[in-house]
Amino acid sequence: MTEHDPAAFHKLYSPRQPRATYYRKDFGDYVLMIALSALVTGAAYGFGHGMSIAAYILCAAAVVAFTLRHGLALTVPLIVRRPQDLLYTVLYKLRNLKFAYFAAVSLLVLESMLITASPNLPHYVQAMRTMGWYLFYVHFGVITIYRTVIMVAHLARKELAREVLMQTSWKRVITGNTSMTLEIVHAYCSGLLAHIILIAPWFLVIKYAKFSVIFLPVVCVLNVLVHLKWLKVINDWFYRDHWLAHNAEMEFIYLHGSHHDAIPSGMIAVAENGFLEGFLRLTLGTPVTFYNPLTAFLAITIEVQKDMEAHQYIPGVFPRLPRRIVEVSQHSTHHYGQIEPYSFGIKVDQPDSGDLYKRLFRGLPDGLRNSAKLDEELTGFKWDNPTHRRTLTLYAKYHNWQMRDVASTPAEVTPEVPLG
C-alpha cells in the first residue's frame, strides 16, 4: 500500500507540461523573469545598494547569455497567456508549508513582542542587528570567494570540462564550437545572482526584526529544535516543490529554469533553486530565514556550501565530489538527462553500500538518508539506471577509481527525455 498519496504530491491546477530546459520561445518570459528578479532585489536591499547594483549587472548579463546560447524568438509570453498560473504558484507554496515554518515565524514574532513589552531590559537590539549584518556579509563574502575559486579552476581546465560534458546528455549543448569560457562564466554569474536573491529575505529579517541578547541562548536552542523537526519533513517539502518546478510550466520558466540552464557545476548551486525561486523558498518555504541571525548564519552557510559541492558533476575539476556521495546520491542523474529524481535523491540503505556509508549518514533522519525512496514510491524511479551507471563510469575514469560493477559499463548517452 502506498504510504504517500501521489495525488497530493502531484496535484496541478493547470495542464502538466514537463520542462527541463529553456527554448528560444521563452525569451519574452525570460526577460520578464529577469526584470522581476532585478525589481525584487532592489526592493529588498534598496535600489542603490551594492548588492542590488551587482544584481542589475548580472541580470543584464543573463539576458545577453540567453540570447547567445538559445537565440531569440518573439512570442506572446506565457505569463500573458495564463496569468492565473501566478495565483496557482502562490497556492502551491502556501499548501506546502510545514509546521516547522510556522514554528520559526511564531518564535520570531514572540521574541519581538517580548522585547517591545520590556523596554527597560538590556536587550541590545542594535548590537544584535549589527552582529546580524556582520554574519550576513561574512556569509556572502566567504561563499562568493569559494564560488570564484571554483570558476577559476574550471577556466583552467575548460577543455577537460568540455571532454566530460561531451560524454553526457549535455552533448546537445556543448559542441566543438561552443565557447567553454562563456559556459563557465555564465554558470558562475547564474550562481552568484541566485545567491544574492536567495539571501534577500534573510537581509529583510535582520533589518526589521528584533533580537535580544538576553533571549539569545534560549532562542538558539529552540531554533535548533525547530530545525531538527524541519529535517524530518524537508524531503517531502522539497519533492513537492521540485516536482512543481518541472511540471508546472510557469514555475519552471519563472522560478527553477535558471538552475538547469547552466552547466552542472558547483558554481551554479545555492540551495537547489533558480533566481526568483530562492526568494520564494526563503520567504514561503523553509524556516531558516526566521531563525536568530547566529543560527540562520550557520544553517544557510552550511546548506549553500554543501549544495555547491553536491552539484559538482564534472569530475576531474575542483571541487572533487567524494566517491561515497557519488555512489549513494543521484541528483546528478537529474542534471544529466533524466528528469527524476525529484527528491534529494539519496539512498544509503542499499545491499552494497556498506556499513561505512550508513555510519556517515546516521545523523540524518531516514527521510533524508533514503530520500530517493519517495521517487521510487511515487514515480517508479529505478535506482539502477543507465544515467547513473554512466555517471559512475565517468567518475571512475577521471578520478581513477577501481569500480566493482560499472567498470565495463559503456558510457552511453541516455536517450533524452521529451520535455518540450
Side-chain angles (χ1 to χ4, degrees):
M1 184 173 178
T2 304
E3 181 182 352
H4 298 91
D5 181 10
F9 282 87
H10 298 162
K11 185 177 182 61
L12 274 177
Y13 300 119
S14 57
R16 183 183 177 188
Q17 183 64 57
R19 292 287 301 271
T21 188
Y22 282 126
Y23 303 111
R24 293 176 58 196
K25 67 183 179 67
D26 298 320
F27 178 77
D29 283 295
Y30 187 86
V31 171
L32 287 173
M33 180 272 289
I34 290 296
L36 286 172
S37 298
L39 180 62
V40 166
T41 306
Y45 292 107
F47 290 97
H49 194 278
M51 297 284 276
S52 298
I53 294 172
Y56 303 154
I57 296 171
L58 291 168
C59 284
V63 175
V64 173
F66 185 98
T67 306
L68 293 174
R69 297 172 72 249
H70 299 288
L72 187 156
L74 298 179
T75 60
V76 179
L78 179 67
I79 197 171
V80 175
R81 290 183 280 117
R82 296 212 308 262
Q84 67 273 16
D85 284 10
L86 290 175
L87 173 61
Y88 297 156
T89 293
V90 175
L91 291 176
Y92 294 146
K93 303 301 177 188
L94 292 175
R95 292 185 61 137
N96 199 31
L97 291 174
K98 305 299 182 184
F99 170 80
Y101 173 87
F102 295 105
V105 172
S106 298
L107 183 60
L108 177 66
V109 172
L110 177 61
E111 182 176 11
S112 294
M113 292 174 61
L114 291 175
I115 292 171
T116 302
S118 54
N120 296 325
L121 293 178
H123 293 294
Y124 294 102
V125 173
Q126 190 55 47
M128 290 292 293
R129 182 168 288 124
T130 300
M131 179 192 74
W133 293 134
Y134 276 114
L135 293 173
F136 178 89
Y137 289 111
V138 166
H139 160 85
F140 181 72
V142 169
I143 294 297
T144 300
I145 291 172
Y146 186 42
R147 196 182 307 279
T148 304
V149 170
I150 296 175
M151 179 186 68
V152 172
H154 279 69
L155 288 173
R157 310 201 72 181
K158 61 183 179 182
E159 291 309 316
L160 173 61
R162 181 198 303 277
E163 179 182 326
V164 172
L165 293 173
M166 286 291 286
Q167 300 172 67
T168 72
S169 60
W170 276 83
K171 184 178 181 178
R172 69 187 188 276
V173 177
I174 307 298
T175 66
N177 298 324
T178 301
S179 170
M180 284 305 298
T181 299
L182 172 62
E183 294 296 331
I184 292 168
V185 173
H186 171 247
Y188 173 81
C189 291
S190 295
L192 185 58
L193 179 57
H195 190 198
I196 291 173
I197 300 175
L198 174 85
I199 57 177
W202 183 27
F203 180 92
L204 291 172
V205 168
I206 295 172
K207 184 176 181 179
Y208 292 110
K210 294 180 180 179
F211 299 96
S212 169
V213 70
I214 298 174
F215 302 146
L216 179 64
V218 175
V219 170
C220 286
V221 169
L222 292 174
N223 286 162
V224 171
L225 293 177
V226 169
H227 200 66
L228 291 175
K229 185 74 174 178
W230 170 239
L231 292 179
K232 292 182 179 180
V233 298
I234 189 173
N235 190 57
D236 285 9
W237 170 82
F238 179 73
Y239 180 101
R240 170 62 175 161
D241 200 67
H242 194 201
W243 186 91
L244 287 165
H246 281 283
N247 290 277
E249 190 173 20
M250 183 78 74
E251 294 220 5
F252 180 81
I253 294 175
Y254 279 85
L255 301 182
H256 193 61
S258 57
H259 182 61
H260 283 267
D261 193 40
I263 58 175
S265 157
M267 291 180 290
I268 71 172
V270 178
E272 302 282 1
N273 55 263
F275 301 150
L276 289 173
E277 186 176 35
F279 186 88
L280 274 181
R281 282 183 173 174
L282 259 68
T283 305
L284 283 176
T286 73
V288 295
T289 313
F290 307 101
Y291 295 164
N292 179 278
L294 179 60
T295 319
F297 168 78
L298 294 173
I300 296 174
T301 303
I302 291 172
E303 180 176 2
V304 173
Q305 187 266 334
K306 293 298 182 184
D307 197 55
M308 291 173 71
E309 290 183 350
H311 276 80
Q312 184 53 37
Y313 303 137
I314 305 177
V317 185
F318 177 82
R320 189 184 180 98
L321 195 60
R323 174 174 178 167
R324 61 182 181 270
I325 299 298
V326 178
E327 291 186 337
V328 300
S329 173
Q330 282 208 46
H331 192 66
S332 58
T333 300
H334 180 69
H335 281 268
Y336 268 149
Q338 183 174 317
I339 197 168
E340 298 157 347
Y342 295 110
S343 72
F344 290 111
I346 302 170
K347 191 175 181 181
V348 176
D349 293 345
Q350 302 179 61
D352 58 347
S353 62
D355 292 336
L356 172 62
Y357 291 165
K358 294 177 182 178
R359 290 197 301 271
L360 287 170
F361 289 86
R362 68 176 180 269
L364 297 176
D366 187 67
L368 277 177
R369 284 164 44 94
N370 295 291
S371 54
K373 289 183 177 180
L374 188 58
D375 294 278
E376 294 174 334
E377 183 180 335
L378 294 176
T379 68
F381 171 73
K382 302 297 183 184
W383 183 264
D384 182 16
N385 60 77
T387 305
H388 186 48
R389 291 198 299 271
R390 182 187 67 231
T391 301
L392 290 173
T393 303
L394 287 173
Y395 276 87
K397 177 179 179 180
Y398 292 98
H399 285 181
N400 298 317
W401 292 351
Q402 295 298 319
M403 300 300 290
R404 297 182 299 276
D405 54 355
V406 302
S408 61
T409 303
E412 77 280 10
V413 176
T414 305
E416 186 179 347
V417 180
L419 304 173

